[in-house]
Amino acid sequence: GDSVTQMEGPVTLSEEAFLTINCTYTATGYPSLFWYVQYPGEGLQLLLKATKADDKGSNKGFEATYRKETTSFHLEKGSVQVSDSAVYFCALTSFGNEKLTFGTGTRLTIIP
Amino acid sequence: EAGVAQSPRYKIIEKRQSVAFWCNPISGHATLYWYQQILGQGPKLLIQFQNNGVVDDSQLPKDRFSAERLKGVDSTLKIQPAKLEDSAVYLCASSLGGDTQYFGPGTRLTVL
């Protein structure tokens, strides 16, 4: 079945550091890929998505590129801020199936 | 536009008691989802509705969990009787039928 493997956390970085959170997936066909973010005390919010190979999703300075050859969708940001502290979830939906399959989440803490 | 509404936000019950959660999706969204998020894990789909019909309930523990969406708008999820392992955050999400799901703030259930 479909699965998502996410970088183990927690991750702690200093403000303005470069961020990478790794995500790889297993799915039949051509899934759509997502990053969701959960800020403290809030619900899940869609951060970015990509629906086909080589697409790049971007939002709020975050980027992720759909790499079919490596079945990966790593999240990156060039300079993190304290306000980026949250839990980040990588997820996918398979073609013809709207069910989201999530990774386990990565807790990110940015220190000033 | 109002987001997905859920209530209550928190609930504490003893094992073997029953509990119900309510969700009101974004207006016009035909598809509604209930997810269970156990601490330290990613959300897992319990049930998916399309209007008032069930699309996928393969992961719903039907001996104790039930859900309905009678008028194709709001939905309730019930657990009866609750077990300790049901302690989790129950997330409701809705979508227009495309890829993007919008999540509510969740209900945190603690079973003692």
Side-chain angles (χ1 to χ4, degrees):
Chain A
D2 297 344
S3 67
V4 175
T5 302
Q6 220 177 305
M7 176 177 176
E8 294 281 333
V11 174
T12 302
L13 294 173
S14 298
E15 205 165 20
E16 299 183 3
F18 183 86
L19 168 71
T20 300
I21 300 178
N22 290 337
C23 171
T24 58
Y25 66 89
T26 302
T28 53
Y30 301 96
S32 294
L33 302 174
F34 305 82
W35 278 100
Y36 277 83
V37 58
Q38 190 169 36
Y39 297 104
E42 299 183 18
L44 282 165
Q45 301 175 26
L46 178 65
L47 181 60
L48 54 84
K49 70 177 184 181
T51 57
K52 61 182 188 295
D54 299 324
D55 267 1
K56 178 184 285 188
S58 62
N59 186 25
K60 300 182 180 180
F62 290 89
E63 293 182 339
T65 302
Y66 189 141
R67 301 287 189 200
K68 186 172 182 298
E69 64 276 14
T70 54
T71 61
S72 65
F73 193 55
H74 304 322
L75 183 67
E76 296 182 336
K77 186 174 185 182
S79 177
V80 293
Q81 306 300 313
V82 172
S83 57
D84 294 326
S85 298
V87 181
Y88 292 81
F89 291 92
C90 187
L92 66 82
T93 57
S94 287
F95 180 76
N97 185 344
E98 296 173 12
K99 177 182 80 171
L100 278 165
T101 299
F102 285 89
T104 54
T106 301
R107 181 174 299 278
L108 174 67
T109 302
I110 308 301
I111 54 177
Chain B
E1 180 182 88
V4 177
Q6 289 188 247
S7 67
R9 291 293 308 274
Y10 305 91
K11 190 73 177 179
I12 301 174
I13 62 173
E14 296 191 348
K15 61 183 179 183
R16 291 189 290 273
Q17 286 187 322
S18 62
V19 64
F21 313 126
W22 175 81
C23 171
N24 192 34
I26 293 172
S27 178
H29 281 197
T31 310
L32 185 148
Y33 313 79
W34 283 102
Y35 289 84
Q36 179 192 57
Q37 185 179 10
I38 293 172
L39 187 65
Q41 300 181 19
K44 181 187 77 173
L45 180 72
L46 291 175
I47 189 166
Q48 176 186 346
F49 291 95
Q50 179 75 19
N51 296 307
N52 60 350
V54 175
V55 174
D56 183 354
D57 64 356
S58 57
Q59 302 271 50
L60 188 73
K62 298 180 186 64
D63 57 335
R64 297 183 300 105
F65 286 65
S66 65
E68 60 184 14
R69 194 184 184 200
L70 293 175
K71 297 181 180 178
V73 180
D74 57 347
S75 174
T76 56
L77 175 69
K78 296 179 182 177
I79 308 174
Q80 181 180 8
K83 293 186 174 181
L84 296 177
E85 59 262 35
D86 298 332
S87 294
V89 176
Y90 290 85
L91 298 166
C92 181
S94 69
S95 74
L96 270 174
D99 275 338
T100 303
Q101 296 180 27
Y102 298 87
F103 284 80
T107 297
R108 182 177 298 277
L109 173 67
T110 302
V111 182
L112 302 177

